[in-house]
Amino acid sequence: MAVAVQQMKLISGKNIATPKGFKAVGIHCGLKHKKYDLAVLLSEVPASVAGVFTTNAIQAAPLVVTKEVVQQTGQMQAVIINSGNANACTGKQGMCDALTMQEKTAEQFGIAPNLVGVASTGVIGEKLNMEPLLKGIQQLNPTSTLEGSIQFSQAILTTDTVMKNTTYRTEVDGKEVIIAGTAKGSGMIEPNMATMLGFITTDAKIDSVHLQEALKSITDVTFNSITVDGDTSTNDMVLVLANGLAENKPLSPAHPDWDSFLQTLHAVAQDLAKMIAKDGEGATKLIEVEVDGAVTDAEARKIAKTVVGSPLVKTAVFGCDANWGRVIAAVGYSGASVDPLGITIKIGDTPVVKDGEPVIFSEEQLLHYLKQPEVKIFVGLNKGSGHGIAWGCDLTYDYIQINASYRS
Amino acid sequence: MAVAVQQMKLISGKNIATPKGFKAVGIHCGLKHKKYDLAVLLSEVPASVAGVFTTNAIQAAPLVVTKEVVQQTGQMQAVIINSGNANACTGKQGMCDALTMQEKTAEQFGIAPNLVGVASTGVIGEKLNMEPLLKGIQQLNPTSTLEGSIQFSQAILTTDTVMKNTTYRTEVDGKEVIIAGTAKGSGMIEPNMATMLGFITTDAKIDSVHLQEALKSITDVTFNSITVDGDTSTNDMVLVLANGLAENKPLSPAHPDWDSFLQTLHAVAQDLAKMIAKDGEGATKLIEVEVDGAVTDAEARKIAKTVVGSPLVKTAVFGCDANWGRVIAAVGYSGASVDPLGITIKIGDTPVVKDGEPVIFSEEQLLHYLKQPEVKIFVGLNKGSGHGIAWGCDLTYDYIQINASYRS
């Protein structure tokens, strides 16, 4: 993505229903005690769809249903999402329930069932409480207002503490194209796939094959480059719906504005990924680890992810301790090719290791830096030109509290 | 190890210096504020030695020195160990210091330097304070008393809360053979190698090639089957010294008592591994995960290690929450071949999942079970005959506290 793209612009205050023809809403139907727990995203017309899904061998029923829509039709017009229950490991009944959610949503909006995606998030292994859920579906009245978008963003959350929204505009064929995204994350977040719920809408015109290509090309460097706790969920997915109402000529790699589109999609995905990492369960800080000079980009990302996922690095950042020994140890066990004497480490702008040996630094200055809400760690390897970034969060008392008492 | 071996017997109250001809001691030399921080293990005669070492690409200086002794001579007569400083990432000076430790220890006991192993554990990236260390070496006066052994076991500890010792007797050629072990663990504990310090002594007669074979054969199912936090250290090693003073005929796979010896060595290693897991930083419980019916033993161990290493499983056990959804999710992302509908899970003796679906169980009964200091989780896969066990510990507030303030 070396091409400079002037048109891309972050739009503040906007949301998932901003692209032309998209509507959203979230409500409380009764799966949770009080909070919003049911949401729908609807496009006026069928949209091209692309999706990436968890690599966990145990896949929840809604994920199986949604995957089929993506793979078989390449089109989607609505997504129904519940929080509070993951509908995972629920056997045949769970599959039945996911299909019922799909069917009833289709009925409610007068569209074909195979244009409806289904997503669920919450506790594993409990059957869905279908009665309130089905009543809830009949009450869904999505709009293209900011209010509807906000309700949607709230209804998909579990232990998240904040909504995660981002919206950009760009131009394709001189026409305004909007790409907006919303996501939930928090726990059970680990790369090797989406491992979260992410929904991205755009009014760009693009067929599902090229949309999938675009999504895949940015997934590794965004959603797959975050980790909260190394646990990969059974349920998570990222969907991109492109309904074409911007009326541009269909996008493909041959289109002169392909790079603009990709860059904008990348910005949306990266914003969401960083928001998820920053709002990891119990987190007080976003940690960004940048690796340069690895043999390949993939190795650089692998090292960055290993460092940002190390419990010892995470607790050191929580404790504002410039304990670079834990960083270099994680680099060493990442499995990537490294030369110990070629390693450089910086915490913020402060060098702490040069050529594999300690550099004298001001502990006080680093203590001050480590108290900031965003901490950057740089690792230089001097092996090649591979570069990668990964995002994570610190490991805190609150992570333990949240997870030692989640289900009960 | 299917052969029944009558002679093997756990000996209580004994220790690392119990096998004939071994002496040990630990003292405070001044690397730590008050606690013991320097230890030596000495054999009256040169012993056959076998070792397994961390797979971390960043290897500390003492490890490099010790590896050379093991690989070049196959003989060792003394091991000098300091705690409080890992002498890792300390460059040329660090290597120099490790060699000086080796040389001065050799001088102190009138043996050749290439018969001396060196081990260090503690903080990474700080130069060793050689003055108190060298003075300390001159004060070392190892004995074959229980007191000397206890001092040794204490001096190798870092954040460990208890000493880790075990001793067994067996018979080889009708002669008593003792195998004793001591270890330190606590943080930065993760398989794919020793990732800890472990010292095992025996008076059995066995050459270093067969000793290495014996150690390798039991490492995967003992030291490599534990995890505390997934961080693999730069320093850790297990050494076995066999000085031959039991005067048995040399052991090899052809010897009729080979299986007795292996089984006893296995028992020592497994005891130490479980003690390390149980005393993981901040741990309140030992977690044992047994996997049966995997495609291979290696896959079974991989799944067991993934489950026991999952932060969400660890926090659930800490919170006494029978949250099997996290167990099945970890099975799913282990990377092993599983059939979701073939999975059985038990917590203690209580089935919670059968054929991939929830089983109704008494939450109260499981709450009671999960309050015990040792928690067992069984996962059946119904895919093959592969079997494996892994050990770990719960993830608690204390882990955060210990690691958010370790270095400072």
Side-chain angles (χ1 to χ4, degrees):
Chain A
M1 254 155 278
V3 179
V5 182
Q6 289 88 348
Q7 302 95 327
M8 184 176 89
K9 198 179 156 195
L10 180 68
I11 314 177
S12 60
K14 297 287 180 160
N15 224 312
I16 189 79
T18 308
K20 282 190 200 78
F22 283 100
K23 296 176 180 177
V25 76
I27 64 167
H28 169 75
C29 78
L31 297 175
K32 290 181 178 172
H33 287 302
K34 281 188 175 176
K35 289 184 178 171
Y36 285 5
D37 51 16
L38 185 64
V40 73
L41 176 66
L42 184 69
S43 171
E44 279 177 18
V45 296
S48 296
V49 65
V52 284
F53 301 91
T54 185
T55 53
N56 196 308
I58 315 290
Q59 306 212 333
L63 197 132
V64 174
V65 169
T66 304
K67 248 182 168 172
E68 197 159 307
V69 172
V70 172
Q71 285 163 3
Q72 293 205 341
T73 74
Q75 298 276 301
M76 195 174 280
Q77 194 166 354
V79 191
I80 182 84
I81 305 113
N82 75 275
S83 58
N85 185 319
N87 192 14
C89 306
T90 42
K92 282 174 199 159
Q93 184 63 49
M95 186 55 72
C96 216
D97 291 343
L99 289 167
T100 304
M101 282 175 73
Q102 183 184 45
E103 191 188 312
K104 295 297 173 186
T105 304
E107 263 179 45
Q108 173 72 8
F109 301 109
I111 60 178
N114 69 359
L115 288 175
V116 179
V118 183
S120 298
T121 177
V123 69
I124 294 174
E126 291 180 9
K127 309 262 190 229
L128 269 179
N129 189 355
M130 288 301 281
E131 198 190 316
L133 205 155
L134 295 180
K135 275 192 194 154
I137 288 174
Q138 291 176 338
Q139 290 159 25
L140 291 171
N141 184 22
T143 66
S144 59
T145 61
L146 182 60
E147 194 191 356
S149 288
I150 288 175
Q151 290 165 341
F152 179 93
S153 303
Q154 286 173 336
I156 66 174
L157 304 181
T158 54
T159 50
D160 304 62
T161 65
V162 294
M163 292 184 292
K164 295 160 186 75
N165 291 302
T166 190
T167 308
Y168 285 79
R169 75 175 292 286
T170 184
E171 285 184 17
V172 177
D173 297 329
K175 291 174 200 288
E176 180 181 75
V177 161
I178 305 287
I179 309 183
T182 190
K184 63 115 346 198
S186 223
M188 259 202 199
I189 299 298
E190 163 74 5
N192 288 326
M193 233 340 316
T195 61
M196 45 162 297
L197 296 182
F199 303 101
I200 297 173
T201 52
T202 177
D203 41 22
K205 190 186 273 293
I206 176 172
D207 68 36
S208 63
V209 172
H210 290 115
L211 190 60
Q212 187 70 37
E213 184 185 334
L215 176 59
K216 283 226 164 135
S217 76
I218 54 106
T219 298
D220 273 348
V221 292
T222 57
F223 299 119
N224 282 353
S225 289
I226 56 172
T227 183
V228 168
D229 52 17
D231 278 287
T232 304
S233 161
T234 52
N235 278 56
D236 296 346
M237 63 173 89
V238 176
L239 295 176
V240 186
L241 277 70
N243 68 9
L245 295 183
E247 300 191 328
N248 55 285
K249 286 179 202 148
L251 280 157
S252 76
H255 192 293
D257 292 325
W258 177 250
D259 285 340
S260 300
F261 177 73
L262 262 197
Q263 187 169 341
T264 310
L265 185 64
H266 180 257
V268 168
Q270 180 170 306
D271 280 4
L272 294 178
K274 287 173 72 172
M275 286 179 203
I276 290 170
K278 187 167 186 172
D279 192 33
E281 285 178 338
T284 68
K285 292 169 196 169
L286 175 71
I287 309 176
E288 176 177 302
V289 177
E290 180 177 2
V291 173
D292 202 19
V295 175
T296 62
D297 285 353
E299 285 227 329
R301 283 198 302 272
K302 181 179 179 180
I303 294 166
K305 272 160 44 176
T306 304
V307 173
V308 87
S310 155
L312 291 172
V313 171
K314 290 156 68 78
T315 46
V317 171
F318 174 54
C320 299
D321 181 6
N323 196 328
W324 59 262
R326 297 178 179 177
V327 174
I328 204 167
V331 171
Y333 72 71
S334 67
S337 166
V338 297
D339 166 17
L341 299 181
I343 297 176
T344 299
I345 299 177
K346 283 196 265 184
I347 298 177
D349 294 327
T350 308
V352 293
V353 174
K354 193 165 183 297
D355 301 333
E357 291 200 38
V359 171
I360 290 164
F361 57 87
S362 157
E363 289 273 356
E364 203 181 337
Q365 194 182 319
L366 270 188
L367 179 68
H368 179 75
Y369 175 74
L370 287 164
K371 286 184 175 165
Q372 310 304 310
E374 300 202 4
V375 168
K376 294 188 181 188
I377 298 171
F378 173 86
V379 178
L381 294 173
N382 206 18
K383 290 276 288 183
S385 60
H387 178 265
I389 302 181
W391 297 275
C393 58
D394 53 346
L395 176 57
T396 71
Y397 296 109
D398 284 353
Y399 179 86
I400 309 293
Q401 196 191 4
I402 292 164
N403 286 301
S405 58
Y406 171 63
R407 201 186 54 122
S408 31
Chain B
M1 254 156 279
V3 179
V5 182
Q6 288 87 347
Q7 304 96 326
M8 185 177 87
K9 198 177 156 197
L10 181 67
I11 314 176
S12 60
K14 296 285 180 164
N15 224 310
I16 189 78
T18 309
K20 284 190 199 78
F22 283 99
K23 296 176 179 177
V25 75
I27 64 168
H28 168 74
C29 78
L31 298 176
K32 290 180 178 172
H33 287 303
K34 281 186 174 177
K35 289 185 178 170
Y36 285 3
D37 51 17
L38 184 65
V40 75
L41 176 66
L42 185 68
S43 171
E44 280 177 16
V45 295
S48 296
V49 64
V52 284
F53 301 90
T54 186
T55 54
N56 196 308
I58 314 290
Q59 306 212 334
L63 196 132
V64 175
V65 169
T66 304
K67 248 181 166 172
E68 196 157 307
V69 172
V70 172
Q71 285 163 4
Q72 293 206 342
T73 74
Q75 298 276 301
M76 196 175 280
Q77 194 165 356
V79 191
I80 182 83
I81 306 114
N82 75 276
S83 59
N85 185 320
N87 193 13
C89 306
T90 41
K92 281 174 199 158
Q93 183 63 48
M95 185 56 70
C96 214
D97 292 343
L99 289 167
T100 304
M101 282 175 73
Q102 182 184 46
E103 191 187 313
K104 295 297 173 186
T105 303
E107 263 179 45
Q108 173 73 5
F109 300 109
I111 60 179
N114 68 359
L115 288 175
V116 179
V118 183
S120 299
T121 177
V123 70
I124 294 175
E126 291 180 9
K127 310 262 188 230
L128 270 178
N129 188 355
M130 289 301 282
E131 198 191 320
L133 205 155
L134 294 180
K135 277 192 190 150
I137 289 174
Q138 291 176 337
Q139 291 160 23
L140 291 171
N141 184 23
T143 66
S144 59
T145 61
L146 182 60
E147 193 191 357
S149 287
I150 288 176
Q151 289 165 342
F152 179 92
S153 302
Q154 287 174 335
I156 66 174
L157 305 182
T158 53
T159 51
D160 305 61
T161 66
V162 294
M163 290 185 293
K164 294 159 187 78
N165 291 302
T166 190
T167 308
Y168 286 79
R169 75 174 293 286
T170 184
E171 286 184 16
V172 176
D173 298 328
K175 292 176 198 289
E176 181 180 76
V177 161
I178 306 286
I179 308 184
T182 190
K184 63 118 338 201
S186 223
M188 258 199 200
I189 298 297
E190 162 75 6
N192 287 326
M193 235 338 318
T195 60
M196 44 163 299
L197 296 182
F199 303 102
I200 297 174
T201 53
T202 177
D203 41 22
K205 191 187 271 295
I206 176 171
D207 68 36
S208 62
V209 172
H210 291 115
L211 191 60
Q212 187 70 36
E213 184 185 335
L215 176 59
K216 284 227 163 134
S217 76
I218 53 108
T219 298
D220 274 348
V221 292
T222 58
F223 299 119
N224 282 353
S225 289
I226 56 172
T227 183
V228 168
D229 53 15
D231 278 286
T232 304
S233 162
T234 51
N235 278 56
D236 296 346
M237 63 174 88
V238 176
L239 295 177
V240 186
L241 276 69
N243 68 10
L245 295 183
E247 299 190 330
N248 54 286
K249 287 181 202 145
L251 280 156
S252 75
H255 193 292
D257 293 325
W258 177 249
D259 285 339
S260 302
F261 177 74
L262 262 196
Q263 186 169 343
T264 311
L265 185 64
H266 181 256
V268 168
Q270 180 171 305
D271 281 4
L272 294 178
K274 287 173 73 171
M275 287 178 202
I276 290 170
K278 187 168 187 170
D279 192 33
E281 285 178 340
T284 67
K285 293 170 195 168
L286 176 70
I287 308 176
E288 176 177 302
V289 177
E290 180 177 2
V291 173
D292 202 18
V295 174
T296 62
D297 286 354
E299 285 227 330
R301 283 199 302 274
K302 182 180 178 179
I303 295 167
K305 272 161 42 174
T306 304
V307 173
V308 88
S310 155
L312 291 172
V313 171
K314 290 155 69 78
T315 46
V317 170
F318 174 54
C320 299
D321 181 6
N323 195 329
W324 58 261
R326 297 177 179 179
V327 175
I328 204 168
V331 171
Y333 71 72
S334 67
S337 167
V338 299
D339 166 17
L341 299 180
I343 297 176
T344 298
I345 298 177
K346 283 195 263 184
I347 297 176
D349 294 329
T350 308
V352 293
V353 173
K354 195 167 181 295
D355 302 332
E357 291 198 38
V359 171
I360 290 165
F361 57 86
S362 157
E363 289 271 356
E364 203 180 339
Q365 196 182 317
L366 270 189
L367 179 67
H368 179 73
Y369 176 73
L370 287 165
K371 285 182 176 167
Q372 309 304 309
E374 298 202 5
V375 168
K376 292 187 182 188
I377 297 171
F378 172 86
V379 178
L381 292 174
N382 206 18
K383 291 276 289 184
S385 59
H387 177 266
I389 302 182
W391 297 276
C393 59
D394 53 346
L395 177 57
T396 72
Y397 296 109
D398 284 353
Y399 179 86
I400 308 292
Q401 195 190 5
I402 291 163
N403 286 301
S405 58
Y406 171 65
R407 202 189 52 124
S408 32

